[in-house]
Amino acid sequence: MGLPTWLTLGRIIMIPILVILFYMPYKWANLAATVVFCLAAATDWLDGFLARRLNQSSAFGAFLDPVADKLMVAVALVLLVQTNATPWFAVPAAVIIGREITVSSLREWMAEIGERAKVAVSWTGKFKTVAQMGAVIFLLYHDPLFGIPTQEIGIVLLYVAAVLTLWSMVMYLKAAWPSLYARRNKLDSRL
């Protein structure tokens, strides 16, 4: 296991640390939780960069990286929804988490039939990730910073991420549909 994989594992280890910091009853807890999430987001970029740069890509790392990302974001969103228990907050969080499950399942299915390249990460997916990470960072911090309304910015970014989430999911499903439809026709003809 190379450095990129260790960074990815570190991101998974940061999840319980994030949860503990989130629930600590201290004034600085939101800053500490935000810093942990920021470090995790930075390692998301860094592990991929190092894997390519150091030629240390591995099948295990390729599997683990998106799992670590989705776990960190899903846990953060669940924590945030728990403290902001309104439909206005829960719906975009549910859309984001539901999309991640759907697209992960779609990618697994497409890999199984040898068509994974059709649902490779797109630019829309990358913009979605940036909006999502930004939303979580602002929402975790939530206190005004130098007069900047971080909570309100976080909510706007959460909705931007939810819209991009749905858009990218539709694009992935559209790209996969011919393969899925052809596969269904093959199965129907066997029956």
Side-chain angles (χ1 to χ4, degrees):
M1 283 196 333
L3 178 59
T5 304
W6 282 109
L7 286 171
T8 304
L9 286 171
R11 196 157 62 252
I12 292 171
I13 291 167
M14 285 187 227
I15 294 171
I17 295 168
L18 172 71
V19 174
I20 290 166
L21 289 170
F22 186 84
Y23 285 110
M24 291 190 93
Y26 302 111
K27 189 166 177 64
W28 51 263
N30 65 324
L31 175 60
T34 304
V35 167
V36 167
F37 190 85
C38 287
L39 286 172
T43 63
D44 178 25
W45 172 82
L46 186 60
D47 63 11
F49 173 78
L50 289 175
R52 289 183 297 277
R53 186 73 149 171
L54 302 174
N55 198 22
Q56 291 186 352
S57 296
S58 68
F60 181 62
F63 155 75
L64 196 60
D65 181 61
V67 170
D69 300 343
K70 286 162 186 36
L71 283 173
M72 180 62 93
V73 169
V75 167
L77 287 172
V78 167
L79 293 172
L80 290 165
V81 166
Q82 185 261 326
T83 59
N84 300 284
T86 67
W88 302 110
F89 210 93
V91 168
V95 165
I96 291 169
I97 293 170
R99 179 266 190 201
E100 297 301 345
I101 294 167
T102 302
V103 171
S104 293
S105 298
L106 178 65
R107 285 190 176 130
E108 182 180 335
W109 173 256
M110 293 299 284
E112 191 174 303
I113 63 173
E115 300 283 342
R116 175 124 173 41
K118 288 186 177 180
V119 287
V121 177
S122 69
W123 281 103
T124 306
K126 291 179 189 236
F127 288 133
K128 179 266 314 173
T129 299
V130 169
Q132 192 172 270
M133 296 295 191
V136 171
I137 289 167
F138 280 109
L139 291 167
L140 282 172
Y141 187 73
H142 70 75
D143 290 332
L145 183 65
F146 306 115
I148 299 169
T150 58
Q151 182 79 5
E152 290 78 7
I153 292 170
I155 291 170
V156 169
L157 285 173
L158 185 67
Y159 274 89
V160 168
V163 169
L164 290 172
T165 289
L166 289 174
W167 184 7
S168 64
M169 182 179 73
V170 167
M171 289 174 55
Y172 292 135
L173 289 169
K174 187 177 175 184
W177 183 252
S179 299
L180 294 171
Y181 187 74
R183 184 80 170 174
R184 190 186 95 195
N185 284 343
K186 253 188 219 180
L187 290 173
D188 287 347
S189 68
R190 289 183 189 165
L191 299 175

